[in-house]
Amino acid sequence: MAAPSLLNWRRVSSFTGPVPRARHGHRAVAIRELMIIFGGGNEGIADELHVYNTVTNQWFLPAVRGDIPPGCAAHGFVCDGTRILVFGGMVEYGRYSNELYELQASRWLWKKVKPHPPSSGLPPCPRLGHSFSLYGNKCYLFGGLANESEDSNNNVPRYLNDFYELELQHGSGVVGWSIPVTKGIVPSPRESHTAVIYCKKDSGSPKMYVFGGMCGARLDDLWQLDLETMSWSKPETKGTVPLPRSLHTASVIGNKMYIFGGWVPHKGENIETSPHDCEWRCTSSFSYLNLDTAEWTTLVSDSQEDKKNSRPRPRAGHCAVAIGTRLYFWSGRDGYKKALNSQVCCKDLWYLDTGG
């Protein structure tokens, strides 16, 4: 295991411009040197678009126009060149969305888009906590959480494991949704998981990797979907699998999938016997999976303390984005205390130079 001190963490302490208020459930993407953040919540759902320039260390609020979407949290957020797509999420307590918006970041112009429904079956239902991943001219939607109740104040949760493909038009606009026929055992229903897509340089088909999430209890399983054959499988891995978690982040740099933070079980509790009754806590643990060799490596374990504030403190619902070989992390919440009925959102921005 690499000592945390060997990791090149940097807290960004000097910046200019309007800093967004701390939050959780937001999402971020990168366009060149820009980190673009949308949504999330902390005493209300945020609807502004914030941009951080990692070269000049400046925050700014672009003057967006067009069909500006409502604020949302735990939504899908992907970037294709200089356009960004937003799908679903929570728009107010108990009320989830299945609407799709496109942002042309070169002009900061929003547009509501209406994909054709699948030729067989219904379009995706309103949801939050789904994964929404881009490869080529397609986005892949998996899972999430729906509310079965018509009354937004009476939340009846339904965990999802449905899978959709969204075909994009070149440059702007979308074609429509389809429901691919997949082979193999499908991952169990879940929300607040992660999904990344990776293609080995010299061999063939892109694969989507789904890790963790929540379905009553937190999960630590890894699933692989071959996007050419549409076959699901559970890869056998080596090394120490990260603790079960949800609301973590997964980011690919080179051939590594970096997993940071999230909700994990308290140390010493028997996850097998009482998954629903466990107390959960945020973590600052940090691991990566080598996607070529399927080996996990722990960089920061759950038991390692950080008395010097030399790395990001434990959090969940944060955002992470890769810019070059750097991995940026911003905000998130550091826990929820039922007794106090409160949570604290982190305000800090960090990056780690992974070296590729």
Side-chain angles (χ1 to χ4, degrees):
M1 176 167 26
S5 57
L6 299 179
L7 295 174
N8 196 14
W9 289 107
R10 292 283 184 270
R11 181 171 180 170
V12 181
S13 54
S14 176
F15 41 75
T16 58
V19 180
R21 74 179 191 267
R23 65 194 62 190
H24 61 98
H26 51 293
R27 300 287 188 259
V29 294
I31 297 180
R32 294 184 292 273
E33 74 275 14
L34 303 180
M35 177 171 73
I36 299 167
I37 292 168
F38 182 66
N42 181 12
E43 297 175 358
I45 293 178
D47 59 3
E48 323 89 27
L49 190 81
H50 289 269
V51 181
Y52 178 71
N53 186 313
T54 60
V55 173
T56 63
N57 290 350
Q58 276 181 304
W59 286 101
F60 64 95
L61 276 163
V64 295
R65 56 202 172 92
D67 308 323
I68 298 172
C72 55
H75 46 290
F77 200 54
V78 297
C79 181
D80 171 34
T82 57
R83 74 164 153 182
I84 293 170
L85 292 163
V86 179
F87 174 75
M90 181 169 73
V91 289
E92 59 186 52
Y93 179 78
R95 193 163 73 82
Y96 310 155
S97 165
N98 61 349
E99 293 181 340
L100 181 70
Y101 289 86
E102 177 184 272
L103 174 70
Q104 290 289 344
S106 57
R107 294 175 288 153
W108 302 118
L109 178 65
W110 282 108
K111 180 182 172 187
K112 188 174 181 179
V113 288
K114 295 184 177 175
H116 290 298
S119 55
S120 60
L122 297 170
C125 66
R127 66 190 65 203
L128 60 68
H130 45 285
S131 57
F132 195 55
S133 313
L134 174 88
Y135 190 83
N137 69 330
K138 291 178 179 169
C139 290
Y140 298 93
L141 169 68
F142 175 73
L145 182 72
N147 183 2
E148 289 288 81
S149 173
E150 296 293 319
D151 177 6
S152 61
N153 293 316
N154 179 29
N155 207 341
V156 180
R158 179 166 63 98
Y159 294 97
L160 305 169
N161 65 343
D162 50 356
F163 177 61
Y164 286 86
E165 189 177 87
L166 176 68
E167 186 178 349
L168 310 182
Q169 289 176 346
H170 181 70
S172 177
V174 297
V175 179
W177 294 107
S178 60
I179 303 173
V181 176
T182 61
K183 307 182 192 81
I185 297 171
V186 178
S188 60
R190 66 194 62 210
E191 57 109 356
S192 299
H193 55 283
T194 52
V196 303
I197 298 174
Y198 171 71
C199 189
K200 287 185 183 178
K201 284 180 180 172
D202 48 0
S203 60
S205 58
K207 294 178 175 65
M208 183 170 84
Y209 293 89
V210 173
F211 177 71
M214 165 79 172
C215 184
R218 269 75 183 181
L219 304 167
D220 65 354
D221 48 349
L222 177 73
W223 294 82
Q224 174 185 287
L225 176 68
D226 186 310
L227 294 178
E228 281 188 5
T229 64
M230 284 294 163
S231 301
W232 285 104
S233 59
K234 285 187 80 170
E236 286 189 22
T237 60
K238 301 183 283 288
T240 304
V241 177
L243 283 178
R245 67 191 61 213
S246 63
L247 294 168
H248 53 288
T249 51
S251 313
V252 174
I253 296 181
N255 63 352
K256 298 180 178 74
M257 176 177 76
Y258 290 91
I259 301 288
F260 176 74
W263 288 102
V264 296
H266 264 302
K267 293 189 288 283
E269 291 191 332
N270 189 336
I271 303 164
E272 299 298 323
T273 56
S274 59
H276 295 271
D277 302 325
C278 271
E279 285 292 323
W280 301 86
R281 62 183 173 85
C282 289
T283 182
S284 59
S285 59
F286 187 47
S287 301
Y288 69 79
L289 177 69
N290 183 312
L291 295 168
D292 291 336
T293 63
E295 181 166 7
W296 286 105
T297 298
T298 304
L299 296 171
V300 178
S301 76
D302 281 277
S303 59
Q304 282 170 294
E305 292 187 12
D306 177 32
K307 292 178 179 171
K308 297 180 181 176
N309 295 320
S310 59
R311 54 185 164 88
R313 70 181 193 262
R315 67 193 66 208
H318 52 286
C319 68
V321 67
I323 297 180
T325 59
R326 284 183 181 177
L327 197 48
Y328 283 81
F329 302 94
W330 182 71
S331 202
R333 59 179 171 174
D334 72 355
Y336 180 78
K337 298 178 176 62
K338 281 185 184 174
L340 301 174
N341 196 28
S342 69
Q343 62 193 3
V344 177
C345 285
C346 314
K347 298 177 181 178
D348 47 351
L349 172 65
W350 292 79
Y351 70 84
L352 174 72
D353 209 317
T354 64

